[in-house]
Amino acid sequence: DMTVATEKEDLEAVIDYARDLPFVSSVALVGHSMGGAVSILAAADEGKRVVRALAVMAPAVSMREDAVRGSIFGVAFNPAEPPKRLELWGGRVAIGRGFVRKAQETNFLKEAAKYRGPALIVFGTADAVVPHTYGQYLEQVMPSAELKEYEGLDHGLSRLGDPKGQAGVAVTVAQFVADELEEGQL
């Protein structure tokens, strides 16, 4: 029953909780794939005053076009009348009609343009799930964004299952967050 909107609401509740902790003075959001897309939506709503830095890896901002086209992860459906339940990955994961409809309505690039804080966008050039060109689109619409593309890395930011790419990306993301936030402010 989840949608990008309910995921954003959940993330905003986590942000509110974290900000109320006495030892938290700044918040940075880091997300991959769906988590990256949701982080973009939350950062756009919360603004740079609340979200001091945003790092997204292969954010699933192509899901609008996928849902409008009627194909999510290779599973085809009628986009005008999505099924009540859409099974993905051989039935291991299912999404509901509400997920598809909300994805069709959400303009991720328009929302991303609202975030004015520092942002790091990471994509692998061999991403077959979310084309890396979406990183270029995000960099164009987000005023303080920097795009890092990793040659040959896939959606999981690895190369044919080699986790070395993931380690390099993790270092890049951690360094970005550290540079954007003063020591001890997370």
Side-chain angles (χ1 to χ4, degrees):
D1 293 328
M2 60 81 91
T3 68
V4 291
T6 61
E7 291 289 304
K8 181 180 79 76
E9 290 169 9
D10 290 346
L11 179 54
E12 289 172 339
V14 171
I15 292 168
D16 291 343
Y17 173 80
R19 291 182 71 219
D20 285 342
L21 296 171
F23 54 87
V24 174
S25 58
S26 295
V27 173
L29 297 180
V30 177
H32 174 258
S33 195
M34 176 74 163
V38 170
S39 293
I40 287 170
L41 297 177
D45 275 0
E46 297 288 339
K48 72 178 182 180
R49 187 183 63 73
V50 174
V51 178
R52 294 273 311 276
L54 172 66
V56 292
M57 297 158 288
V61 295
S62 64
M63 77 175 88
R64 177 184 190 197
E65 287 76 17
D66 295 343
V68 166
R69 185 177 50 251
S71 178
I72 296 178
F73 292 112
V75 177
F77 58 91
N78 178 353
E81 189 56 44
K84 184 175 181 178
R85 177 182 168 98
L86 189 65
E87 293 192 4
L88 309 173
W89 300 296
R92 292 191 310 262
V93 174
I95 57 174
R97 180 180 295 143
F99 179 95
V100 174
R101 287 200 170 132
K102 194 63 177 173
Q104 290 172 332
E105 298 168 6
T106 305
N107 186 332
F108 293 92
L109 297 177
K110 182 179 177 183
E111 292 301 310
K114 296 176 184 177
Y115 180 66
R116 300 286 190 222
L120 174 66
I121 304 158
V122 177
F123 268 95
T125 61
D127 191 333
V129 176
V130 182
H132 71 97
T133 52
Y134 279 91
Q136 297 163 6
Y137 302 146
L138 285 168
E139 185 180 40
Q140 289 173 4
V141 301
M142 297 175 79
S144 299
E146 173 188 1
L147 173 63
K148 295 240 184 224
E149 292 182 313
Y150 288 81
E151 190 66 36
L153 295 188
D154 61 17
H155 188 67
L157 300 166
S158 62
R159 183 175 285 110
L160 299 174
D162 177 6
K164 290 180 184 173
Q166 294 168 337
V169 170
V171 168
T172 298
V173 169
Q175 188 62 57
F176 168 79
V177 171
D179 288 348
E180 293 301 329
L181 302 175
E182 292 178 15
E183 184 71 29
Q185 287 193 331
L186 280 179

